[in-house]
Amino acid sequence: MADDMKPIRSFLFIPGDSEKKLAKVDTTGADAIILDLEDAVAMENKAVARERTAATLTARPPAQRVCQLWVRINPLDSGMAKDDLAAVIAAAPDGIMLPKANSPANVAALSGWLDVMESDEGLNAGAVKILPLTTETAIAPFHLGAYADAGLTRLYGLTWGAEDLAAALGASTNLGPDGEWAFTYKLVRSLCLMAAHASGVEAVETIYVDFRDSDGLRAACLAARSEGFSGRMAIHPAQVPIINEAFTPSAEEIDHARRVVAAFTENPGSGTVGLDGKMLDVPHLKAAQRVLAQAG
């Protein structure tokens, strides 16, 4: 579960068939790399992508990794997902990103496959986490609330996607006249955020498509963290330092959080405490603990 680790601030996609980009996985500064076997890889290159992704993982055993290494497999109904997993599981990826997850049942099915594969490869049971893309099909948003009661112990978090959803809906754009997300995409984003917190896992913000717009990315990341997202996916290495900075609490935030936790520690059994002339209650304590978790 997400509580077992410091939240991942940045997930950087790297095409699984690109030798040049795979060679740079240790130098991006990202908290996690997503070795992509899905959208970034042409159909004729899927086999090559599996081989190169497996080699990248094998060359970096878990204890020697600079960052976490995840793999985005192809959708469960593509006929390729099991081949993707069979190619990479022996090399112990830290997690699997599941695209086009229609419901928790898809995640449960993937988890069942991983149970068998981990056992066959002698890996620790449950070691490989899962991050599903939960809004890429028209039916998926209707099942977001079900994650909270699904008992998915491998679930790292929930994230959402606007590009595939737009395609699924036959939309010409996912943006409104103001350049912000159109209503439908704001809706599913909010539902994903709430579903993640209801499930006790991380909420991961989607990609920011314009990788040249550093100011826009920074503002969007700060807004996302203020809403409750703990990290963001990136499509270009230049986005990584901006994302990492935005999702790292400031020294002032950390100091305040420590003081809040200390105030409650000094008053055991009390539901409210006073600090700097303000009354704080349990939600303030939880928020402070969250800041300290993000700070590591």
Side-chain angles (χ1 to χ4, degrees):
M1 295 292 288
D3 291 343
D4 296 334
M5 65 185 79
K6 176 183 176 181
I8 297 168
R9 299 167 299 176
S10 52
F11 288 88
L12 174 64
F13 285 101
I14 289 183
D17 61 343
S18 174
E19 285 186 300
K20 179 180 178 180
K21 293 179 180 178
L22 289 171
K24 299 178 180 179
V25 297
D26 297 327
T27 61
T28 67
D31 287 350
I33 299 293
I34 301 173
L35 306 168
D36 195 5
L37 301 179
E38 194 213 10
D39 285 348
V41 179
M43 188 63 66
E44 60 268 24
N45 290 339
K46 296 291 187 182
V48 170
R50 292 185 190 111
E51 293 174 4
R52 292 177 178 171
T53 294
T56 299
L57 289 163
T58 301
R60 297 163 178 82
Q64 300 175 23
R65 288 174 186 165
V66 174
C67 62
Q68 290 194 32
L69 298 178
W70 289 57
V71 177
R72 177 162 71 169
I73 61 173
N74 286 280
L76 294 191
D77 61 0
S78 67
M80 296 181 283
K82 279 193 174 180
D83 289 339
D84 294 340
L85 292 171
V88 303
I89 288 301
D94 293 287
I96 298 295
M97 173 172 277
L98 177 62
K100 301 175 179 63
N102 286 327
S103 71
N106 289 159
V107 179
L110 172 58
S111 185
W113 295 354
L114 290 173
D115 288 343
V116 174
M117 292 181 176
E118 282 176 339
S119 178
D120 290 346
E121 298 295 342
L123 302 177
N124 292 332
V128 182
K129 301 304 179 185
I130 300 175
L131 177 62
L133 279 151
T134 61
T135 69
E136 292 189 315
T137 67
I139 192 63
F142 294 97
H143 295 286
L144 279 165
Y147 282 94
D149 301 316
L152 300 169
T153 57
R154 293 182 184 273
L155 196 64
Y156 166 79
L158 301 178
T159 189
W160 71 288
E163 308 306 317
D164 282 281
L165 180 58
L169 300 179
S172 59
T173 180
N174 48 34
L175 302 177
D178 58 357
E180 301 295 326
W181 295 119
F183 173 77
T184 297
Y185 307 91
K186 289 180 180 179
L187 173 64
V188 298
R189 175 180 180 272
S190 295
L191 290 173
C192 178
L193 172 63
M194 289 186 285
H197 284 277
S199 304
V201 299
E202 304 299 334
V204 180
E205 177 67 291
T206 193
I207 61 172
Y208 191 87
V209 176
D210 187 354
F211 61 85
R212 296 182 181 88
D213 182 11
S214 297
D215 291 340
L217 172 63
R218 182 176 293 103
C221 288
L222 290 171
R225 185 165 82 85
S226 72
E227 291 178 76
F229 288 94
S230 61
R232 182 167 209 142
M233 296 183 288
I235 56 172
H236 192 281
Q239 295 180 315
V240 169
I242 297 171
I243 293 173
N244 284 347
E245 179 183 2
F247 284 97
T248 300
S250 67
E252 292 78 10
E253 288 177 288
I254 295 170
D255 178 66
H256 178 71
R258 285 174 175 160
R259 293 175 62 227
V260 171
V261 172
F264 277 93
T265 301
E266 293 165 3
N267 294 274
S270 177
T272 60
V273 299
L275 182 67
D276 299 336
K278 298 179 180 179
M279 292 304 298
L280 308 179
D281 54 16
V282 173
H284 294 99
L285 173 61
K286 291 182 177 179
Q289 291 169 332
R290 179 73 175 169
V291 167
L292 296 179
Q294 289 175 324

